Amino acid sequence: MARFILVVALSLFAITGANVALAEDLTIAAASDLNFAFREIVAEYERTTGNNVRLVFGSSGNFYAQIQQGAPFDLYFSADIGYPKKLIDEGLAVPNSLYQYATGRIVLWVPKESSLDVTKGIDALLDPAIKKIAIANPKHAPYGRAAVSAMEHFKLYDRVKDKFVLGENISQTAQFVQSGAADIGIIALSLALAPTVQAAGSYWLISQEAHPSIDQGVAIIKASKNQDGGRKFLDLLQAPTTKTIMKRYGFVLPGESATGQ
């Protein structure tokens, strides 16, 4: 009888322990420009906490709509801080969790084998050889809106808009150019600096003065069952090693100035 009770107790402990471990895991909705940087940061979080992270990358606007519909995310990293602010106003995100974690940059990007010369700057978009220009969909992707603003700033938008191929998010936009579905694209600097992408192409940095600042924000989702884990992840973002990773991918951190205008 005692052995039976011990077996039952151990079984209950194993089930409870599994549930606790599951509850401590995180599901993070992250803007696609974070694809490479966050894979490194998440690896560090998992190593130090022993908890798993499920990263879901996509467009900030689409995530905003999904969270409104009850999508089970714990943290929401948006490429536009306006979206998490709206979630707080709607009572769907934790107010004191909101902060700006970075500012993004945009670049013109072409594959290595391209004959296009991006050192010409934004005027490279006027090359008659270009049939398709990839940008993120400006309806729900902040990087797409920045791309449109930059082209309007340089008075090129009306001359090239008929050539646009719209990516669902900034990662898909980069893939369009890499795959040959577009000749040139306006993508996130953070993607252009990823080792595999950097080896496959070249870029020209678009001045921040040519478009509204891409201020990126994060918030903990109020319905999250692991808000403590979310705060631990946000704490990790303040660590010097994490900041180094973000800067290596071209992000401008709060309180710091951009380089390479």
Side-chain angles (χ1 to χ4, degrees):
M1 181 66 175
R3 182 183 177 186
F4 173 76
I5 293 173
L6 178 61
V7 170
V8 171
L10 289 173
S11 298
L12 289 173
F13 176 79
I15 293 171
T16 304
N19 287 338
V20 170
L22 186 61
E24 290 177 348
D25 291 347
L26 280 177
T27 300
I28 298 177
S32 290
D33 65 315
L34 297 168
N35 195 323
F36 294 95
F38 262 34
R39 292 187 191 280
E40 293 187 31
I41 294 169
V42 161
E44 177 64 13
Y45 176 86
E46 292 180 331
R47 185 186 69 79
T48 56
T49 66
N51 300 324
N52 296 321
V53 174
R54 178 174 175 253
L55 276 173
V56 184
F57 294 105
S59 78
S60 299
N62 283 344
F63 281 140
Y64 168 70
Q66 291 168 18
I67 292 167
Q68 285 182 310
Q69 298 300 315
F73 299 124
D74 297 300
L75 282 170
Y76 171 42
F77 283 87
S78 171
D80 181 347
I81 197 171
Y83 286 126
K85 282 180 178 177
K86 288 180 182 179
L87 290 178
I88 287 172
D89 292 341
E90 295 162 5
L92 296 175
V94 179
N96 65 4
S97 68
L98 175 71
Y99 77 93
Q100 182 180 332
Y101 62 88
T103 297
R105 305 293 304 275
I106 54 174
V107 300
L108 280 181
W109 192 87
V110 293
K112 288 284 189 194
E113 62 273 13
S114 175
S115 61
L116 298 171
D117 183 7
V118 290
T119 63
K120 292 180 178 179
I122 201 75
D123 285 343
L125 292 174
L126 299 175
D127 192 303
I130 293 175
K131 300 294 187 291
K132 299 291 182 183
I133 299 169
I135 67 169
N137 191 330
K139 289 184 178 179
H140 48 72
Y143 278 90
R145 292 197 289 272
V148 169
S149 293
M151 287 182 282
E152 289 175 339
H153 173 84
F154 290 109
K155 304 188 186 322
L156 296 178
Y157 179 78
D158 289 333
R159 301 170 67 181
V160 299
K161 64 182 180 180
D162 293 336
K163 297 181 178 182
F164 289 165
V165 177
L166 301 181
E168 186 67 14
N169 52 63
I170 200 63
S171 286
Q172 187 181 65
T173 304
Q175 289 167 8
F176 283 161
V177 187
Q178 286 182 290
S179 68
D183 304 295
I184 191 171
I186 299 179
I187 69 171
L189 174 61
S190 61
L191 300 183
L193 290 177
T196 53
V197 182
Q198 195 166 21
S202 55
Y203 70 88
W204 179 77
L205 183 64
I206 297 174
S207 170
Q208 282 189 307
E209 296 177 357
H211 58 84
S213 182
I214 309 172
D215 295 334
Q216 309 196 185
V218 59
I220 296 173
I221 303 307
K222 188 172 284 188
S224 167
K225 294 180 172 57
N226 189 14
Q227 292 188 16
D228 287 344
R231 292 190 185 279
K232 288 179 182 178
F233 190 87
L234 295 184
D235 288 343
L236 177 63
L237 286 185
Q238 303 304 316
T241 53
T242 303
K243 290 182 178 181
T244 298
I245 291 171
M246 292 292 285
K247 289 193 284 188
R248 177 155 41 87
Y249 283 97
F251 290 104
V252 182
L253 302 186
E256 299 185 0
S257 58
T259 58
Q261 289 288 331

